[in-house]
Amino acid sequence: MPTTTLTYALEKCLAEPKEVTPFEPVCLILEVPVTASSSRKCGTTAAALNEACFCVSLDQVALTNALSEQLGNPELSELLKSRCPHVFAARPVFVSPSRLRQVREVIQAIERTVSLPAWREHALDSAPPIAQHNPRRARGVFFGYDFHLDEDKLGLIEINTNAGGAMLNVLLARAQRSCCSGVVGLSPGQEWPGGFEQSILHMFAQEWSASGEQRPLTRVVILDESPQAQYLYPEFLLFQRLFESAGIDCLIADPADLAFHNECLLVDGKPVDLVYNRLTDFYLEGDNCSALRSAYLADVVTVTPHPQAYACCR
């Protein structure tokens, strides 16, 4: 059985911003062994499958059902369709094991480099003072490495420290259709989406415990400016549902909705444990971020991703 992976960092341009729309479709990327006997008609290599295989596709009915099931509200399903009408690719992209090994090697090399004391000193020296604040050992969730896969070239476009699209990939995985038995193994299994969601929850739990907290994570705030106007607001709702399914209270808020009072970060008068930061004000410099900035510098809240993560990978 081939290994299945889903990209979640495809929101950025793969060319100059003036030449493309600001969001690329979320694509399913499947790792296919060269020797796979997937289909005589389609071929067995990634190149052949990309050229001739139309047997795996997006099932719009299954997507609608997945949306209704996860969001629990038909109106929210319509919101995703109207707000993000082109976010899902109709066909998958097949990537060879050798190309995926290259991707992993590049990522590993970057991770090793940014962990070097000399690199961190160099990167933080030119960053604002807030980037030098110790983030309580939080690493930063959803690092996205945006690769451009050409036939014979591998290009790293950027490192995105607050990549979006993870929950959209869960929907996409639940809505794949294989039209013939020869390629059934190339689609995600029924268990994959649930397992991926548990990995997301585990990642946030690790950020929380890495911050030195012993008690359970109780309340998360998904933070962005004017969140309801954001292109990926529907994904915020999916994250909210995921956290709530795990017994974690979750609110979606604008940074101006936060208050810092008595050494505590509050939203609607309730204490905040962790901020899932989707802001593009990476150093929390805006006036509307004053409460968050104060709470972060006072070490009373876990912020992920955080300013230091951006400074070290910009």
Side-chain angles (χ1 to χ4, degrees):
M1 293 288 287
T3 302
T4 302
T5 61
L6 290 173
T7 61
Y8 56 79
L10 296 177
E11 69 191 66
K12 292 296 184 180
C13 304
L14 298 183
E16 290 297 322
K18 294 181 180 179
E19 298 176 358
V20 297
T21 56
F23 289 86
E24 296 293 330
V26 175
C27 297
L28 184 65
I29 295 187
L30 301 174
E31 181 180 350
V32 182
V34 174
T35 58
S37 57
S38 55
S39 170
R40 292 180 180 178
K41 181 181 72 172
C42 297
T44 59
T45 67
L49 288 165
N50 285 325
E51 180 72 22
C53 183
F54 301 97
C55 304
V56 183
S57 62
L58 177 63
D59 187 333
Q60 291 292 346
V61 174
L63 179 61
T64 299
N65 292 339
L67 280 168
S68 298
E69 177 183 340
Q70 287 199 245
L71 293 177
N73 187 332
E75 293 182 2
L76 298 181
S77 300
E78 292 302 317
L79 173 63
L80 179 59
K81 292 178 183 178
S82 62
R83 184 74 63 85
C84 316
H86 307 298
V87 73
F88 294 115
R91 297 283 185 269
V93 174
F94 299 93
V95 181
S96 69
S98 60
R99 182 51 57 87
L100 282 179
R101 278 195 297 272
Q102 287 181 302
V103 168
R104 292 192 185 100
E105 288 169 359
V106 171
I107 292 173
Q108 290 168 359
I110 293 171
E111 294 282 343
R112 287 194 299 268
T113 300
V114 300
S115 66
L116 294 173
W119 170 263
R120 298 181 69 84
E121 182 181 354
H122 170 76
L124 297 178
D125 184 59
S126 59
I130 194 171
Q132 300 180 33
H133 181 74
N134 188 335
R136 302 202 303 168
R137 299 184 66 185
R139 297 186 62 187
V141 295
F142 292 122
F143 266 52
Y145 296 84
D146 296 348
F147 286 94
H148 187 184
L149 304 179
D150 206 343
E151 289 185 2
D152 57 352
K153 297 178 182 178
L154 178 68
L156 177 61
I157 308 304
E158 74 162 346
I159 300 174
N160 190 344
T161 55
N162 65 347
M167 291 303 296
L168 298 180
N169 272 292
V170 174
L171 290 177
L172 187 61
R174 288 191 167 116
Q176 293 300 300
R177 175 181 59 191
S178 301
C179 67
C180 57
S181 59
V183 295
V184 169
L186 302 184
S187 295
Q190 294 297 317
E191 297 180 357
W192 186 92
F196 185 52
E197 288 175 323
Q198 290 304 309
S199 296
I200 292 174
L201 290 171
H202 180 65
M203 177 174 58
F204 279 95
Q206 284 186 313
E207 288 288 90
W208 176 241
S209 61
S211 299
E213 300 291 348
Q214 302 297 320
R215 60 185 177 85
L217 178 60
T218 301
R219 182 168 296 110
V220 171
V221 168
I222 301 171
L223 200 69
D224 205 347
E225 292 188 9
S226 304
Q228 293 186 354
Q230 294 293 329
Y231 180 81
L232 288 182
Y233 175 66
E235 185 186 43
F236 295 173
L237 297 172
L238 291 169
F239 271 113
Q240 184 179 46
R241 286 289 178 129
L242 178 62
F243 284 120
E244 291 176 347
S245 73
I248 301 170
D249 188 28
C250 181
L251 294 90
I252 302 170
D254 183 282
D257 297 332
L258 301 176
F260 182 55
H261 182 65
N262 289 338
E263 296 300 303
C264 184
L265 185 67
L266 306 173
V267 60
D268 293 340
K270 304 173 183 177
V272 177
D273 293 332
L274 183 146
V275 171
Y276 174 24
N277 179 19
R278 293 288 290 256
L279 293 167
T280 54
D281 180 0
F282 301 110
Y283 295 127
L284 312 181
E285 296 174 308
D287 292 341
N288 60 345
C289 290
S290 61
L292 176 61
R293 184 169 59 248
S294 297
Y296 175 67
L297 293 175
D299 292 329
V300 298
V301 67
T302 298
V303 178
T304 182
H306 46 72
Q308 190 173 106
Y310 174 74
C312 289
C313 293
R314 59 196 163 94

